Amino acid sequence: MNLTGSRTINADVATVWAALLDPEVLKACVPGCTEMSGSADEGFEATVTQKVGPVKATFKGAVAISDRVEHESLTISGEGKGGPAGFAKGGANVRLTAEGDTTILEYDVEAKVGGKLAQLGSRIIDGFAKKMADQFFANFQEAVEPPSEDDDADTEETKKKGWFSKLRRA
């Protein structure tokens, strides 16, 4: 399954780049991620629980960041085993382009599954993989962008929005 997309993020390239390498940001953005440890240089260990169709599984695996060109591009790849449910592996090639005060983040995602998960059929798997990729990049954008002036400062959503950019300014 291959998926391509892009997002315009209201943050500079340096902020977006730093967030892509931060384990706390990645943990917060990966749907179902309960644990993430390690570093961008040495790789991350992650635990993710997801339900794909009728199959619910906890995947334990590794995430690596490679092919880094500072503030321009990188590859995020991961592989996890979900016990009897099977395995999942995939990656995303991410490119960043500065456009004024914003960053254009483009991505190409590839995902593969095996075991019981593969028996669910390509329509279910492809739909799930697209949903996961879309949700990750939407979560990432929300974590990195600063809250807008229109946001009501007392809402829970506003408190979550832009938490990484607030942290970098502190």
Side-chain angles (χ1 to χ4, degrees):
M1 203 273 341
N2 294 316
L3 171 72
T4 303
S6 69
R7 292 199 166 262
T8 301
I9 300 175
N10 292 319
D12 62 87
V13 171
T15 300
V16 175
W17 181 260
L20 283 169
L21 302 177
D22 187 298
E24 289 302 312
V25 173
L26 296 176
K27 178 182 176 188
C29 295
V30 173
C33 186
T34 56
E35 294 178 39
M36 173 107 35
S37 61
S39 70
D41 293 330
E42 296 178 15
F44 302 104
E45 295 288 318
T47 302
V48 176
T49 300
Q50 279 296 327
K51 186 171 196 263
V52 185
V55 179
K56 183 176 181 181
T58 298
F59 295 89
K60 291 184 182 279
V63 178
I65 296 180
S66 59
D67 303 327
R68 285 196 265 180
V69 178
E70 184 100 7
H71 297 149
E72 289 181 25
S73 63
L74 55 74
T75 300
I76 301 171
S77 48
E79 187 170 345
K81 293 186 168 113
F87 70 88
K89 68 180 179 178
N93 293 318
V94 179
R95 292 168 309 285
L96 304 177
T97 307
E99 194 168 282
D101 292 339
T102 65
T103 301
I104 308 298
L105 183 150
E106 296 175 280
Y107 56 90
D108 299 310
V109 175
E110 183 180 353
K112 296 177 185 167
V113 297
K116 276 188 184 177
L117 290 174
Q119 296 170 3
L120 295 174
S122 64
R123 282 185 59 206
I124 291 174
I125 297 301
D126 289 355
F128 174 77
K130 180 180 179 346
K131 179 182 156 200
M132 286 286 288
D134 288 344
Q135 198 171 359
F136 171 82
F137 287 107
N139 292 348
F140 182 81
Q141 182 174 4
E142 188 172 297
V144 175
E145 286 185 344
S148 72
E149 294 174 13
D150 298 337
D151 288 334
D152 180 354
D154 292 337
T155 67
E156 190 62 34
E157 188 173 314
T158 302
K159 289 177 185 173
K160 287 193 288 188
K161 188 170 182 171
W163 64 268
F164 181 74
S165 62
K166 287 182 211 168
L167 190 66
R168 284 187 45 98
R169 285 193 300 261

